[in-house]
Amino acid sequence: MLSFEELYRNAYKLVLKKKGEPLYLRVQAFEEDWLVNEIRPRILAVLSPSLLSKHGAADTTTAIEKRMAGETLLRALKQAWEDHNLCMNMTADVLMYMERVYCVDNRKPSIFLASMGQFRDYVLRTSVPSHEDLTVAIVLNQVILDQIRMEREGDFIDTTLIRSCIYMLEGLYETGEEEATKLYLTSFEPTYLAASELFYTSEGASILAEADAGTFCRHAKKRANEEQDRCRSTLSTLTLPKIKAVVESNFIKKNIREVIALEGSGVRYMLDNDRLNELDMIYDLISRVDPKKEDLKQAVQLRIVELGNEINNAASSSSAAPLPKPSNSGDDKADRDGKGSVERPISQQTTAAIKWVDDVLHLKEKYDNVLVVAFQSDQNLQTAFSRSFTDFINAFERSSEYLSLFFDENMKKGIKGKTENEVDALLDKGITLLRYVQDKDMFERYYKKHLSRRLLMKRSVSMDAERQMISKMKMTVGNTFTQKIEAMFKDIAVSEDLSSNFKKHVAQLGDPDPKRAEFDVNVLTSTMWPLESMAPSYRDDENNPFCIFPPQIDRIKRTFEKFYLDKHSGRQLTWQANMGTADLRAFFHEMKGKKTREFNVSTYAMVILLLFNDLPPGQSYTCEEIQAKTNIPFNELTRNLQSLAVAQKNRLLIKEPMSKDVKHDDRFLFNENFYSQFQRVKIGVVTSGNKVEDIDERRETEKKNNDTRGGTIEAAIVRIMKQRKELSHQNLIAEVIQQLTARFLPDINMVKRRIESLIEREYLERVEDAERPAYRYVA
């Protein structure tokens, strides 16, 4: 036996003697003879009928028999390939000099590469006897596919054996050594992918028909992971992106829409029952096949709008319910020593308004959690969520009013006892809803109305929270939105200084009257405050009369007017008695213990009560006489008399006859026998208990808002045209809408009417010769 060195030297000498070609050819011939006469028979011998059953013979074998027969073939090929590979590596080492000289000079493939081609041609491409159209390579592919199918169905297979045969296919090429010509890629992979397409199409339909959406998602994720592991451990990583695409296309993409829409287990069910893990799987699956996630987005949007409309309908039903019986609205609380208090019940419709906001916030919080936990804060879905909330919030015509009421109730008592962080979080939630409201000008109108009452009645729990709210609104909707609101706060601050200076002025006058009433006043800028909503309630036959104050109050009023107008000449003061309050001290002869009590009442109630100072005990006034002496509007008079004489807790007046309604000829006398265990009593003004506008009030508010919008639209048109000088009709409409959308969504017809109005007033003119309708600015 010759050593490796001797074999190498002999081959080296033959090449030197120009015998390289005979050596090359004889090695090839020897290898061919070996493969044909030794290896091929061994491989053909293990091809049992069970492996050929799909190719003409009847399949009567069991799965176990087929698996064992397949493993026998794989084992035989593995052994033959490893032996051949080892031998040819050793041969190539011996013939190294021949390959460097003879093969290179004559452009022959290396002996190793040539022998690999021989194994491919004489073993794998050998036709199977009695199956001329069948080769060993085809049977090998089918055996591997059968083994993989068994594994997919839950059986255990010898993955190491399959991996060895895959190595063989990766080491053999169609021609040369180009990556794309590997037998694995040209022979096995296409059949594997085609079989996988059929398998996953069938399995997807089967799972969809038999299981629920959650089961489908778990199975799809499991299959995707299995294929990934299979490519890394059994097949080749070259196939990983391709089989991934097969699973996604045939198992996921073909069924995901039906999975999402499945009744009783689809996305709607998952959302309603907080199945966040399953929603996360749905998101993961649809992300693989649709970057925009359209089906998931539509399903979630539809559910948000449905739930939002349910909230809207519930609120509408509550607001349409019969109103509760009249109740005391002015806080109905009594203070012992000015400290203890009992919160007044809010009206049914105000409760409905706050519940609407709370329900929307709860819905928002829920879907924010879904977005973060299940949908990975997907920007596309976040935009869709926002669009859905915008749709149903703006579909509810009272959204602006209800949101303002929500802030109003919280500013008055909802934030009491809360920490700064809790207050900040509450305001942020409300501001979030404000972002969705399109008619922000309507919200501003309501917010100013409610804010004015809080400021003037001193009902805000925290002025810091009020200013914090304004700051958040400014950041959200801009400075223009909050200008008038900030001016309201400025008026209150200026009024405090004004009242302080007036008191100093009175002290300097040296008024000798020890019983002179103390006087605080708020001077409001008429253009900044919602005076139309602050005005008294008049009947149709009343001519906006001014209240007649008692002499002692009128004297102070005139003194203040002179003091103010001396400093601000040219201004005019209009007194709003319906917005004020007064503290009175009353003496009761028949009361046990301390005979005085302090009462906090409205300004109108003060005017009424002071009339009885000049009336002998037991004497009375009719309602008509009280109105004649005070000039209080009848609606306001009725409400104040009800609070003083009808409300059960604190009847300072006695009404004859006693009834809920007040008529012109009803008589009122002072209640000498009044008793309260509290030293300080607050008497509110009776209302219907309804702070939400009724239909008529709503129409009036909308009318006023539309009038304001008309002016805003005209200002925008003039601003645009002044800059552009000339503009087409369509472009002008588009720019107006773009400018005003942040404040409200302009109605196209209203914009057209405003354009016509500006043309009539000669701010604009039509361009006569333009191809399309256009306008020119008239300087």
Side-chain angles (χ1 to χ4, degrees), residues 230-381:
R230 184 173 292 115
C231 287
R232 290 174 176 169
S233 63
T234 306
L235 302 180
S236 169
T237 53
L238 296 173
T239 307
L240 183 55
K242 301 170 188 175
I243 191 61
K244 180 173 177 284
V246 167
V247 175
E248 291 172 354
S249 176
N250 295 275
F251 193 85
I252 301 174
K253 189 173 184 179
K254 286 184 178 179
N255 302 297
I256 192 66
R257 178 174 296 175
E258 287 77 8
V259 171
I260 288 173
L262 273 177
E263 187 70 28
S265 67
V267 165
R268 174 174 176 156
Y269 172 83
M270 295 175 187
L271 291 170
D272 291 348
N273 293 277
D274 298 324
R275 299 292 186 92
L276 298 183
N277 289 335
E278 293 178 359
L279 286 169
D280 179 53
M281 287 189 287
I282 283 277
Y283 175 80
D284 176 63
L285 295 182
I286 200 169
S287 298
R288 297 168 183 257
V289 298
D290 180 13
K292 294 184 178 180
K293 309 162 192 72
E294 286 295 336
D295 292 324
L296 177 60
K297 182 170 69 175
Q298 290 174 11
V300 178
Q301 279 187 296
L302 178 63
R303 190 55 184 153
I304 291 175
V305 172
E306 286 177 349
L307 293 172
N309 287 335
E310 289 178 9
I311 294 172
N312 292 346
N313 293 335
S316 297
S317 299
S318 297
S319 63
L323 296 179
K325 295 180 180 180
S327 61
N328 227 337
S329 73
D331 286 350
D332 278 357
K333 63 180 181 180
D335 296 346
R336 185 190 301 271
D337 299 329
K339 295 181 180 179
S341 69
V342 179
E343 294 289 355
R344 67 176 177 84
I346 59 177
S347 74
Q348 177 182 339
Q349 293 187 328
T350 303
T351 303
I354 297 171
K355 185 178 185 305
W356 179 85
V357 178
D358 286 337
D359 289 346
V360 174
L361 287 174
H362 177 73
L363 186 66
K364 179 73 169 59
E365 183 178 350
K366 173 179 177 176
Y367 278 86
D368 282 348
N369 185 53
V370 170
L371 182 67
V372 173
V373 176
F375 296 157
Q376 302 174 20
S377 301
D378 185 277
Q379 189 64 42
N380 194 20
L381 288 173

Side-chain angles (χ1 to χ4, degrees), residues 627-646:
Q627 186 177 26
K629 290 179 177 291
T630 62
N631 223 14
I632 298 174
F634 186 75
N635 289 339
E636 298 288 344
L637 178 63
T638 300
R639 294 168 56 235
N640 280 274
L641 286 174
Q642 286 176 327
S643 68
L644 294 171
V646 177

Side-chain angles (χ1 to χ4, degrees), residues 325-326 638 642 646 655 657-663 666 686:
K325 295 180 180 180
T638 300
Q642 286 176 327
V646 177
K655 178 177 179 294
M658 175 53 68
S659 64
K660 187 186 303 180
D661 298 326
V662 176
K663 298 178 182 178
D666 288 347
V686 169

